[in-house]
Amino acid sequence: MSANCIFCKIVAGKIPSAKVYEDADVLAFMDIGPIVKGHTLVIPKQHFDPITATPEPVLAKLVAVVKKIAQAQMNGLRAEGVNVMQMNGAAAGQVVPHIHFHVIPRFATDGHRWNWAAKQYDDPNEMKQLAATVQAALK
Ligand code: 5GP
Ligand code: ZN
């Protein structure tokens, strides 16, 4: 447990939550500020952050539960689609620094729109150069 971490406090039962799923390692509960009603967070019970510091076996367990929740939103809420999101760092919009996946049920009529503003590369080589830079940084 990390001191002053809201999600660690939820795991410990010090802050109440509307639980959807729980096992030895993973907890899923309703987001208090849903983008669409039914919006669920999936977290490890142990404190890790960000994704790059989270062990792969933990990530595998989290993604398995994300899949379960997505299926349950489709079956139980009749969701027509599901968004899965995961933020790392304030620059990426992360507010709670305990790794979590957002699982958001989507409906054609839910009214939510992502501000997904696709940009363009300056020239054809820029994209290739960025790919090469990231590729060279792979370990
Ligand atoms: P982030 O921006 O870090 O990816 O998302 C954090 C999410 O945690 C937000 O969607 C926010 O609504 C949710 N959240 C913050 N505090 C609480 C809380 O005390 N209880 C619950 N259930 N959700 C919370
Ligand atoms: Zn935590």
Side-chain angles (χ1 to χ4, degrees), residues 6-7 10 15-18 29-35 39 41 85-88 92-98 100 102:
I6 291 172
F7 288 175
I10 286 176
I15 295 177
S17 67
F29 56 96
M30 289 287 153
D31 191 305
I32 204 166
I35 284 178
H39 179 165
L41 300 174
M85 295 187 67
Q86 196 275 315
M87 281 72 139
N88 297 279
Q94 186 182 18
V95 174
V96 179
H98 175 135
H100 52 280
H102 297 258

Side-chain angles (χ1 to χ4, degrees), residues 47-135:
H47 183 96
F48 294 107
D49 197 69
I51 192 170
T52 46
T54 304
E56 286 177 22
V58 175
L59 287 171
K61 287 176 182 171
L62 289 171
V63 171
V65 175
V66 165
K67 179 182 174 182
K68 280 182 198 292
I69 299 298
Q71 187 67 66
Q73 289 176 342
M74 291 178 191
N75 294 349
L77 302 179
R78 295 286 159 219
E80 299 161 274
V82 176
N83 284 124
V84 175
M85 295 187 67
Q86 196 275 315
M87 281 72 139
N88 297 279
Q94 186 182 18
V95 174
V96 179
H98 175 135
I99 186 171
H100 52 280
F101 285 84
H102 297 258
V103 188
I104 305 168
R106 298 302 308 275
F107 307 86
T109 56
D110 64 35
H112 180 72
R113 295 287 176 269
W114 298 107
N115 181 22
W116 192 286
K119 299 180 179 62
Q120 290 186 329
Y121 287 99
D122 294 341
D123 61 65
N125 280 331
E126 189 187 19
M127 184 166 65
K128 286 183 181 172
Q129 284 169 0
L130 284 164
T133 301
V134 177
Q135 189 178 42

